[in-house]
Amino acid sequence: MMKIYGQDNTEVLRISSLERRGRELVFKGKVFGTMPITAKITPQEGRNALKLMDLKLVAFLLTFLFRK
């Protein structure tokens, strides 16, 4: 399970599963702990996400999982 937190450290989104459906990445979870959600990311939106990153952010993401 993965949790995403808001500015005030409250849980905004809890992702319980990630899966591939054809060409899309689908995740299931709950918004604000109660409202179920199934959302998808298309290949184009994945490319758009990569465009938001600069070299500094890419370097940070490469080491992110190994930080305490």
Side-chain angles (χ1 to χ4, degrees):
M1 182 174 346
M2 180 176 99
K3 296 177 185 177
I4 298 176
Y5 298 95
Q7 282 289 95
D8 58 354
N9 259 358
T10 58
E11 185 181 306
V12 177
L13 179 63
R14 180 182 296 179
I15 299 173
S16 56
S17 72
L18 285 170
E19 60 187 52
R20 178 183 171 190
R21 275 198 206 149
R23 298 182 63 207
E24 299 172 338
L25 179 64
V26 177
F27 68 87
K28 294 181 182 180
K30 289 189 177 188
V31 178
F32 297 111
T34 58
M35 188 168 53
I37 185 172
T38 299
K40 64 181 179 178
I41 299 172
T42 63
Q44 181 59 49
E45 292 308 316
R47 287 188 290 274
N48 290 344
L50 290 176
K51 291 176 188 176
L52 296 173
M53 296 182 203
D54 61 6
L55 190 55
K56 262 176 113 170
L57 182 57
V58 171
F60 171 76
L61 289 173
L62 289 174
T63 63
F64 184 66
L65 298 176
F66 304 104
R67 296 172 183 246
K68 287 186 181 184

